Amino acid sequence: MSTKITFWSGLDTIGANIISLEKNGFQLITDLGAYVGADIDALLDRNLTSDLYEAGLLPPMNGLYPEEQVKDLPLESFEQSDLKTAICLSHLHLDHLGSFGQISSEVPVYTLNQGANFYQNLKQHKLLPLYDVNWQGMESGVMFEHGPFKITFHESDHDTIGAAAIFIEAPDLKLVYSGDLRLSGFAPEKVLQWAAKAKEFQPDILLLEGTTFSSSGEDSEIEDPFADRTETWDLLSERALISRLDNLLTASDELIVFNGYPQNIERLVKLAELANKNNRQIVFDPAYYELAKPFVENTSIEVLKLNADITIESINQHPEKYIVQVEYENRQILSELKPGIYVHSNGMPIGPYMPEFAPFFEKVLELGYEVIFANVSGHAHQADLLMVAYAIQAKIVVPWHTFKPVAFGEALNEYGISTFLPEKKKEYTVSDIIK
Ligand SMILES: [Zn+2]
Ligand SMILES: [Zn+2]
């Protein structure tokens, strides 16, 4: 029997890219993110499975959901099904794991060790929800098996810890799933390394994310309502950001407040290093302090924990000697601090499309902060995606995880790379895809 491949979601959106492979009674799923339009809290409520299913907000797969949640639905439950199901998780973003709250807690979820450990840390500090699944941390480069499937995770680079590309081999199929990636982070060599391994692997199919192709051609980007009252740095890499921040720290004699993204802990650690170098103390919110601890322990980097090591009053006595990390949930400290420069660096609220965005920045400006938006994408530039696909030389590339799969596919074709745009929920074999 040939391996059956089904694409459930994520073909023309950013995220929730989900496939299942099935052979000889074994089912392997890669990623199980929140569908676009599904509420993250609703996805944690096991009483809502039927509603989510009826609304088309969960993949209608057999062998995945507990019996009591799907007894009224035309699905075989985890308990009833003969399928042996496992999930491979590329990284810890909600568009890749946000549906975990609905599945049987017995389903093994394989992910890199670093990601599995970082998840425990994020969960403990309420920076990701509690997902009651059977977490299995794997080592990079070490193959394991699920029935006829041989699986290997390879470390990649994305704006979260433990991101991986996943290589899957069945007797009639070799597939590489890129996960989300970039060559502009702190460890681009990891991507180059797995891409070289992927070339040797000679995959039939490469599933490649194309987030940055979403903005090709005419665009519908929402205008930034604060453009004339704030400064924006659209930076091409993490290192470009660090260098701009270094200049800012050298030039400024005011308090600097930094709002970053918790999963991009490497950026916060680099910032701490930079602060120390510029004779400033860096102060982290308590939850972020705990999150960063494993990454600064046994280094010379010094970080202070707010309200434990230092108070707002002491910071206000010498604001020019500090960088204070702030997050949206603790935004009240902005009004307690002496206003200086506020750097918004992919923190919450993420962009003008979020309802919290406008009121929050009105307030920050009203308090007297000078606002800088300092963004670096977690996703590869268009040219880098093409280069990675070109280097791997899979027989077929499936362009997905983008709003513009056709434009991404055409760009790949121009590079001499064959592409395939699958239909959602249709079952394929490898010979349907590679003609
Ligand atoms: Zn994603
Ligand atoms: Zn991601």
Side-chain angles (χ1 to χ4, degrees), residues 226 229-230 334-340 342 357-371:
F226 299 99
R229 285 184 283 161
T230 60
L334 289 168
S335 43
E336 297 162 17
L337 289 162
K338 213 176 258 182
Y342 170 98
F357 189 87
F360 175 67
F361 282 101
E362 279 303 347
K363 180 77 185 169
V364 176
L365 288 164
E366 188 192 301
L367 286 169
Y369 288 89
E370 191 184 313
V371 173

Side-chain angles (χ1 to χ4, degrees), residues 4-22:
K4 292 188 273 184
I5 310 168
T6 309
F7 296 80
W8 295 97
S9 161
L11 295 169
D12 56 5
T13 54
I14 293 180
N17 42 332
I18 300 171
I19 62 160
S20 63
L21 303 174
E22 190 190 324

Side-chain angles (χ1 to χ4, degrees), residues 111-114 136-144 152-154:
T111 197
L112 278 181
N113 273 320
Q114 297 94 311
Q136 301 285 328
M138 307 311 291
E139 207 167 307
S140 180
V142 178
M143 193 264 283
F144 62 98
T152 312
F153 281 74
H154 292 281

Side-chain angles (χ1 to χ4, degrees), residues 182-229:
R182 59 178 176 174
L183 286 171
S184 44
F186 293 110
E189 71 283 357
K190 290 181 182 169
V191 178
L192 298 175
Q193 280 157 6
W194 75 249
K197 291 204 175 87
K199 163 79 176 13
E200 282 168 34
F201 183 63
Q202 298 186 323
D204 299 299
I205 303 172
L206 167 64
L207 307 174
L208 185 60
E209 73 116 323
T211 308
T212 53
F213 274 91
S214 300
S215 59
S216 50
E218 87 311 326
D219 218 26
S220 53
E221 219 172 90
I222 304 169
E223 225 174 283
D224 173 8
F226 299 99
D228 52 353
R229 285 184 283 161

Side-chain angles (χ1 to χ4, degrees), residues 6-75:
T6 309
F7 296 80
W8 295 97
S9 161
L11 295 169
D12 56 5
T13 54
I14 293 180
N17 42 332
I18 300 171
I19 62 160
S20 63
L21 303 174
E22 190 190 324
K23 190 177 170 66
N24 302 348
F26 286 82
Q27 174 169 250
L28 187 66
I29 299 166
T30 63
D31 287 356
L32 197 72
Y35 274 36
V36 174
D39 179 76
I40 295 301
D41 294 324
L43 285 171
L44 292 168
D45 188 341
R46 292 185 182 273
N47 297 314
L48 295 179
T49 309
S50 290
D51 296 351
L52 290 160
Y53 171 90
E54 301 295 348
L57 294 174
L58 280 177
M61 290 182 197
N62 292 318
L64 186 61
Y65 304 102
E67 174 66 20
E68 65 270 25
Q69 289 168 233
V70 293
K71 53 181 189 293
D72 302 326
L73 300 177
L75 288 180

Side-chain angles (χ1 to χ4, degrees), residues 91 93 95-96 158-159 180 379 401:
H91 65 286
H93 285 160
D95 61 321
H96 296 262
H158 185 38
D159 55 353
D180 292 359
H379 298 278
H401 196 288

